[in-house]
Amino acid sequence: MEGQFFTWEALSAMGGASLLTFFIVQYTKVLVDRYVNLPTDVYAVFVAYFVLLFTQMALGASWMDWRIYLLNFANAFLVAAASAQIQNKSVKPPGQLQDSSRSNSA
């Protein structure tokens, strides 16, 4: 379908999975912090794992293939790390001065 923001194929790639993981973690981390007390980095790995797992299943992978679970576990760390970079860039955009004292010394 044309005009969709996410497709299963896009979610199977690093960029799509990272972006969806970022959104899910950002919108739900307050609840997780309040009720589960799980570090955000660990929570992001869990979210990434399930995003990747659901994507693989939607694209036709067999739920009985154990290799999917191990591969998604490994890839979840990469997706969570990329998601953390998206979060860092949204808080501190490139080109923004890190120290406010530098802006006065020019």
Side-chain angles (χ1 to χ4, degrees):
M1 291 181 137
E2 189 132 348
Q4 290 183 349
F5 291 102
F6 284 117
T7 62
W8 292 115
E9 289 79 17
L11 287 176
S12 68
M14 176 73 104
S18 300
L19 188 60
L20 183 58
T21 298
F22 166 72
F23 287 141
I24 292 171
V25 170
Q26 289 303 307
Y27 281 105
T28 59
K29 72 180 179 180
V30 172
L31 293 172
V32 171
D33 287 343
R34 182 178 299 154
Y35 296 113
V36 183
N37 196 19
L38 188 67
T40 304
D41 292 342
V42 175
Y43 176 55
V45 172
F46 282 120
V47 170
Y49 177 78
F50 286 109
V51 166
L52 292 169
L53 184 65
F54 291 143
T55 300
Q56 292 295 322
M57 296 304 160
L59 290 175
S62 172
W63 64 272
M64 295 181 66
D65 187 1
W66 60 270
R67 296 174 296 178
I68 295 295
Y69 301 101
L70 290 179
L71 187 61
N72 284 337
F73 180 73
N75 286 335
F77 288 93
L78 297 173
V79 169
S83 176
Q85 279 301 106
I86 294 171
Q87 197 273 338
N88 287 341
K89 294 298 181 191
S90 67
V91 172
K92 299 175 190 167
Q96 181 181 16
L97 293 175
Q98 300 298 323
D99 186 6
S100 62
S101 64
R102 286 189 207 173
S103 61
N104 296 333
S105 64

